[in-house]
Amino acid sequence: MANFNIDSKKARTYDAIVIGSGISGGWSAKELTERGLKTLVLERGRDVQHIKDYPTTNMMPWEFEHRERLPKEIADANPIAARCYNFKESSMHFFAKDNEHPYIQEKPFDWLRGYQVGGKSLLWARQTQRWSKYDFEGPARDQFAVEWPIGYDDIAPWYSHVEKFAGITGNKDGIDALPDGEFLPPHELNCVEKYFKEQVSKQYKDRHIIIGRAAHITEPQQIHLDQGRAKCQHRTICERGCPFGGYFSSNSSTIPWAAKTGNMTLRPHSVVHSIIYDDKKQKASGVRVIDANTKQMIEFYADIIFLNAAALNSNLVLLNSTSSRFPNGLGNDSGLLGKYIAFHNYRATVSGQYEGFLDSTTDGKRPNGGYIPRFRNVYKQETDFLRGYAAGFSAYRMTSNDRDGLGESLKAGLHETKYGNWGVGSHMMGETIPKESNYVALDQNEKDPFGMPKLRISVDYDDNDEKMIKDYMEQVSEMFTKAGFTNVRTNDNHRNPGNDIHEMGGVRMGKDPKTSLLNKWNQLHHCKNVFVTDGASMTSTATQNPSLTYMALSARAVDYAVKQRKAKNL
Amino acid sequence: MERRGALKSMAVAMGAMAGLPAWASGWNKSAVAKSGLLAADQSKNLAMIVETIIPKTDTPGAGELGVGDFVQKMVKDCYDAKAQASLASGISNIDEQSVQRFGKSFTDASKEQRLQILSDIEKGSDTAQKGFFSMVKNLTIQGYMTSEYVMTNITHYEMIPARYHGCVPVKKG
Ligand SMILES: Cc1cc2nc3c(=O)[nH]c(=O)nc-3n(C[C@H](O)[C@H](O)[C@H](O)COP(=O)(O)OP(=O)(O)OC[C@H]3O[C@@H](n4cnc5c(N)ncnc54)[C@H](O)[C@@H]3O)c2cc1C
Ligand code: SF4
């Protein structure tokens, strides 16, 4: 009898349920609980509490047995995760292990995941740029995907809303293709970066070099202090979790904020299996969860459901949510669920050297870099490929130690640091075109260790990407050469799609239910109390890092959902 | 000085990180067996090799800083079976050369004799032995440069610099 209450349906009923506690889920949870809704946050991984659960955060370099190099056994057991640049001895515990969370690569696609409270917000590189109107207008203008149901003006106030809370550093650059935001003081460009900025603006009308916009608190405001966060101390080891809360993560920011309202129940170890559709009410009534520890199925109920499991997992949950009304997955009357997956293309880099400023160097560390906003096809189609690319740009003073010889001469050489030229480097950030043939689907036979169907991923590059890579290499090489950089070299690393961790689509937004799954409020056209506000909802990808847009979409959708609930429309 | 103080108080505030919790360390600890790769006398030889590569001067050498154990651990955990075998045979080979050339084991040989053997290998034509030695030398440099002693006393590693200046004069000397 003692268990009666715990097991009762009432005890498992909430006002809202959020699936996933990463970047988008954290925002959904914060906004829902702040508006007074009793909210259940379901997270498939373990709990990770700010500071307490950052086991490597204060370890010195020499305290890592392998000095950040991967033991062979771990690299061999995790061939996909280990291909991520950030999968290191100090941070690998925040990555999902390949063998524990298998999926099927119909084509090689690196699916990198963080399964814990906070999701990938503990691992991300924290670059946060707004989209511009050109990005939202792209598909309608260029006819490569369906039209976005929203434009820049719809989301701009929500960008401001999330930027102020998260804390974004940046400079007001006044660039059309990259709107300014609510910025904390910018990081500094170094001398060679500034020099390059001047050279580029002298030689090109529409090309800019700016300091990156990033989720770091360079000067805490009251709202950050209220979150218990402090000024970023420039450690640049953010992927271990930051004891200062210097960068934005769900763990340091939105999740504890939601907890403080008293309205949040966080349930880790809860793998959401599917969303329950109630035929009579013609809406979703709750979710089925597999307890990761006991493997038992439990049901939870709510009026509003926010799906924030990260793009491909949100597709998986919807595809797995079948009912007599929706035999092919929840809301999937169009048959498009899982299709039009797109991603970012970071395959190419350009490097070089500069033989100036030889009496200068940098001091300290900067958790950020320079950025080149998209300059291709912004106002009109001007190349033989669709869309464009942004790029990173950073300069650093090269140093070396003489490693020749043995004994005392070697030791002396090692102790003397010699300055070389400045090194300069850039990497592309390209937009890929959503295509029906890039899709995810459920495997009919194979199940993962939790009893969920395995996800089949069939996503690849195309000609457009190859042309874009070529153009990026040519354009940036030209810019480098004009600036007087020497030794300019291009490289295509040919890595798998997905390795850039910005997969999007499959549950795209749109105006027409025949060609999209979600309406302009991120609401399933055919199941109005279910909202998808992570990367799955993206109609196209733009060139910007995506997470800021997921945050803004989440906050905007919650505001709408709560108003609709009050008006008894949900 | 200030920096050390700040570091210390932060460590106290957050509780010393003596060991990783099970969920974080499960990945490596279980995978890494306790026993070393080399027999005890081989380990001693390796310690002498790394000390010869970076010897004690007015500051400690690589041997004293335990870099031999680091080299062994890296080869055991991060390299394939072939590289592991080459470590063992490479060390034996050095010891044999020492006995042949100087009538003494490598650990008993003089500093000059030890240097002679290693630099002959480095400059020599035996590619297998050269490959072995370049692996050991690289790991020795890495282990030495990232040792607590060097990073604290010589290269002055800053965990929390709290600044970035984009253009400062290069310090002379
Ligand atoms: C190394 C790295 C660098 C990056 N750099 C940047 C960057 O600079 N800028 C940027 O914008 N983005 C960056 N990203 C991407 C960014 O991390 C993601 O875009 C962002 O985290 C996505 O937010 P999300 O809420 O959709 O997913 P996540 O943050 O991944 O959260 C999803 C959560 O849902 C949980 N979940 C999944 N399935 C289920 C289920 N069935 N039931 C319950 N819970 C579930 C997961 O465990 C996870 O906690 C980077 C990512 C990585 C790994
Ligand atoms: S760079 Fe800033 S945010 Fe990153 S770990 Fe350091 S202090 Fe924290």
Side-chain angles (χ1 to χ4, degrees):
Chain A
M1 287 314 279
N3 283 336
F4 184 76
N5 265 331
I6 295 168
D7 290 343
S8 77
K9 188 166 175 178
K10 195 161 165 246
R12 284 178 284 122
T13 301
Y14 297 81
D15 297 332
I17 290 174
V18 176
I19 302 170
S21 64
I23 286 189
S24 62
W27 269 97
S28 299
K30 168 189 173 288
E31 299 290 317
L32 286 161
T33 54
E34 267 186 329
R35 286 169 177 73
L37 272 68
K38 295 282 175 204
T39 304
L40 174 67
V41 179
L42 294 167
E43 167 53 53
R44 67 179 297 155
R46 65 174 183 276
D47 196 8
V48 171
Q49 286 180 27
H50 183 48
I51 305 181
K52 179 174 152 296
D53 291 321
Y54 302 156
T56 55
T57 191
N58 287 324
M59 282 169 69
M60 293 293 179
W62 55 87
E63 292 177 301
F64 290 97
E65 284 185 296
H66 307 97
R67 305 291 197 270
E68 294 280 16
R69 185 154 167 183
L70 287 183
K72 203 175 167 305
E73 211 157 337
I74 289 172
D76 290 350
N78 296 278
I80 299 167
R83 280 198 288 270
C84 179
Y85 75 93
N86 216 2
F87 185 90
K88 300 184 282 194
E89 200 173 16
S90 58
S91 60
M92 60 189 178
H93 48 275
F94 291 141
F95 280 85
K97 291 194 226 180
D98 292 354
N99 58 349
E100 287 177 11
H101 305 284
Y103 66 99
I104 297 170
Q105 292 187 331
E106 229 167 72
K107 294 174 181 163
F109 182 92
D110 289 350
W111 190 19
L112 300 166
R113 295 156 292 167
Y115 286 170
Q116 63 252 326
V117 169
K120 295 192 289 280
S121 75
L122 289 164
L123 292 168
W124 70 318
R126 310 163 309 281
Q127 289 288 306
T128 43
Q129 315 91 16
R130 291 185 177 203
W131 282 34
S132 77
K133 73 194 207 70
Y134 307 102
D135 297 304
F136 287 103
E137 288 167 3
R141 187 189 79 175
D142 307 351
Q143 303 288 304
F144 68 90
V146 294
E147 196 176 331
W148 272 88
I150 59 172
Y152 178 71
D153 293 341
D154 294 302
I155 198 170
W158 295 100
Y159 275 138
S160 293
H161 178 77
V162 298
E163 282 164 348
K164 282 185 211 154
F165 189 84
I168 307 293
T169 166
N171 186 50
K172 297 232 187 229
D173 298 295
I175 297 167
D176 216 19
L178 197 78
D180 291 331
E182 312 283 341
F183 293 144
L184 302 172
H187 287 128
E188 194 183 332
L189 288 174
N190 63 42
C191 19
V192 173
E193 292 164 350
K194 277 187 197 151
Y195 162 79
F196 187 55
K197 179 184 174 78
E198 283 158 25
Q199 293 299 309
V200 168
S201 68
K202 263 189 225 154
Q203 322 224 22
Y204 302 88
K205 266 200 331 284
D206 292 328
R207 300 191 187 182
H208 307 275
I209 310 301
I210 62 171
I211 184 67
R213 297 161 180 187
H216 284 265
I217 299 182
T218 47
E219 200 173 280
Q221 307 297 303
Q222 192 58 45
I223 188 68
H224 307 125
L225 301 172
D226 292 348
Q227 295 168 47
R229 297 169 57 198
K231 188 169 168 154
C232 167
Q233 300 292 310
H234 295 243
R235 307 187 327 150
T236 60
I237 42 178
C238 312
E239 64 282 356
R240 304 182 191 176
C242 177
F244 305 98
Y247 74 96
F248 171 86
S249 65
S250 307
N251 311 67
S252 67
S253 178
T254 46
I255 293 289
W257 191 265
K260 249 194 333 206
T261 64
N263 292 325
M264 181 181 76
T265 305
L266 177 64
R267 193 176 198 281
H269 304 294
S270 303
V271 182
V272 171
H273 170 274
S274 52
I275 296 173
I276 306 163
Y277 185 75
D278 186 323
D279 278 318
K280 270 194 230 105
K281 293 183 187 149
Q282 296 193 0
K283 61 180 187 178
S285 59
V287 304
R288 293 181 199 93
V289 164
I290 302 161
D291 186 299
N293 295 322
T294 64
K295 305 275 153 84
Q296 265 179 342
M297 185 91 89
I298 316 162
E299 296 187 349
F300 295 95
Y301 308 95
D303 299 339
I304 298 179
I305 293 162
F306 267 75
L307 182 50
N308 293 115
L312 298 190
N313 269 316
S314 289
N315 276 279
L316 171 63
V317 169
L318 289 178
L319 285 164
N320 205 36
S321 302
T322 51
S323 56
S324 53
R325 166 69 184 84
F326 293 111
N328 301 316
L330 188 66
N332 189 19
D333 288 0
S334 64
L336 296 180
L337 179 59
K339 297 177 177 169
Y340 296 98
I341 301 292
F343 54 100
H344 278 157
N345 168 13
Y346 282 26
R347 246 168 59 187
T349 54
V350 183
S351 63
Q353 292 187 14
Y354 187 54
E355 292 173 42
F357 295 103
L358 293 182
D359 51 3
S360 302
T361 185
T362 61
D363 175 40
K365 298 179 200 167
R366 183 182 63 185
N368 196 355
Y371 186 81
I372 312 176
R374 174 177 160 203
F375 54 83
R376 275 306 203 201
N377 304 326
V378 176
Y379 303 103
K380 61 176 197 313
Q381 187 63 34
E382 57 201 16
T383 67
D384 66 345
F385 57 88
L386 283 172
R387 314 304 296 160
Y389 47 83
F393 171 76
S394 292
Y396 53 95
R397 189 72 199 266
M398 301 202 286
T399 58
S400 63
N401 309 86
D402 195 347
R403 297 164 70 101
D404 286 345
L406 294 173
E408 288 178 23
S409 68
L410 170 65
K411 192 175 181 183
L414 291 174
H415 287 186
E416 193 189 336
T417 301
K418 286 196 203 127
Y419 284 93
N421 293 333
W422 286 79
V424 294
S426 164
H427 68 277
M428 74 178 289
M429 308 187 219
E431 172 165 7
T432 73
I433 303 306
K435 292 179 300 182
E436 188 165 13
S437 55
N438 276 341
Y439 67 88
V440 297
L442 303 186
D443 192 80
Q444 297 305 315
N445 306 309
E446 290 186 38
K447 300 244 149 90
D448 77 4
F450 302 93
M452 298 277 283
K454 279 194 199 166
L455 195 67
R456 303 186 75 88
I457 304 183
S458 187
V459 174
D460 211 346
Y461 289 111
D462 65 11
D463 276 357
N464 201 64
D465 302 314
E466 303 297 334
K467 286 181 188 158
M468 198 186 277
I469 288 170
K470 192 165 159 274
D471 188 67
Y472 159 81
M473 288 178 168
E474 285 167 5
Q475 295 306 313
V476 174
S477 297
E478 180 189 289
M479 288 157 74
F480 276 17
T481 307
K482 283 188 178 175
F485 298 161
T486 55
N487 229 340
V488 175
R489 280 175 204 188
T490 60
N491 180 45
D492 176 353
N493 59 35
H494 291 286
R495 63 194 190 190
N496 290 341
N499 196 286
D500 308 310
I501 333 171
H502 297 167
E503 57 275 3
M504 290 173 239
V507 198
R508 68 182 178 186
M509 295 168 78
K511 291 180 170 164
D512 182 353
K514 288 206 192 68
T515 56
S516 64
L517 276 296
L518 302 168
N519 68 13
K520 65 174 174 178
W521 301 108
N522 293 74
Q523 186 177 30
L524 278 177
H525 288 300
H526 298 300
C527 185
K528 291 273 195 282
N529 63 338
V530 174
F531 294 79
V532 184
T533 63
D534 58 21
S537 69
M538 303 293 277
T539 310
S540 62
T541 71
T543 59
Q544 289 86 333
N545 294 71
S547 307
L548 185 72
T549 301
Y550 306 163
M551 299 187 211
L553 286 175
S554 301
R556 178 176 176 271
V558 168
D559 184 63
Y560 174 78
V562 173
K563 282 177 183 152
Q564 291 297 304
R565 181 171 178 268
K566 274 205 189 108
K568 305 253 184 276
N569 288 336
L570 284 181
Chain B
M1 282 303 104
E2 245 176 64
R3 183 178 62 85
R4 294 256 165 73
L7 255 185
K8 227 180 235 154
S9 56
M10 205 178 73
V12 171
M14 276 174 289
M17 300 280 168
L20 303 189
W23 61 260
S25 57
W27 279 48
N28 39 22
K29 292 284 155 42
S30 63
V32 178
K34 280 275 159 325
S35 70
L37 184 65
L38 301 172
D41 56 334
Q42 291 273 62
S43 298
K44 246 193 227 150
N45 278 331
L46 178 58
M48 194 53 107
I49 293 170
V50 303
E51 176 66 18
T52 308
I53 296 172
I54 303 176
K56 181 180 170 69
T57 50
D58 50 348
T59 59
E64 188 182 326
L65 294 175
V67 173
D69 293 341
F70 170 76
V71 172
Q72 190 174 163
K73 178 150 207 58
M74 290 297 282
V75 174
K76 176 166 178 290
D77 295 348
C78 304
Y79 286 68
D80 61 14
K82 209 172 133 221
Q84 292 172 356
S86 99
L87 180 71
S89 64
I91 294 171
S92 303
N93 183 310
I94 283 175
D95 207 34
E96 280 158 26
Q97 279 195 41
S98 179
V99 173
Q100 265 177 21
R101 285 170 68 171
F102 306 116
K104 286 186 259 186
S105 72
F106 187 72
T107 44
D108 290 338
S110 73
K111 195 171 166 181
E112 287 68 32
Q113 291 169 331
R114 283 187 269 118
L115 261 176
Q116 194 62 56
I117 292 172
L118 296 188
S119 76
D120 286 352
I121 293 174
E122 191 172 38
K123 294 186 189 118
S125 53
D126 181 337
T127 46
Q129 196 64 2
K130 271 175 95 150
F132 146 81
F133 187 70
S134 113
M135 172 174 83
V136 170
K137 182 177 170 183
N138 282 331
L139 285 170
T140 301
I141 293 173
Q142 186 193 9
Y144 172 77
M145 294 302 280
T146 56
S147 67
E148 178 169 6
Y149 180 87
V150 171
M151 289 193 91
T152 345
N153 298 294
I154 298 172
T155 52
H156 302 294
Y157 172 75
E158 288 183 295
M159 178 80 154
I160 308 175
R163 66 176 185 283
Y164 179 78
H165 301 302
C167 213
V168 300
V170 169
K171 274 188 222 113
K172 296 267 151 38

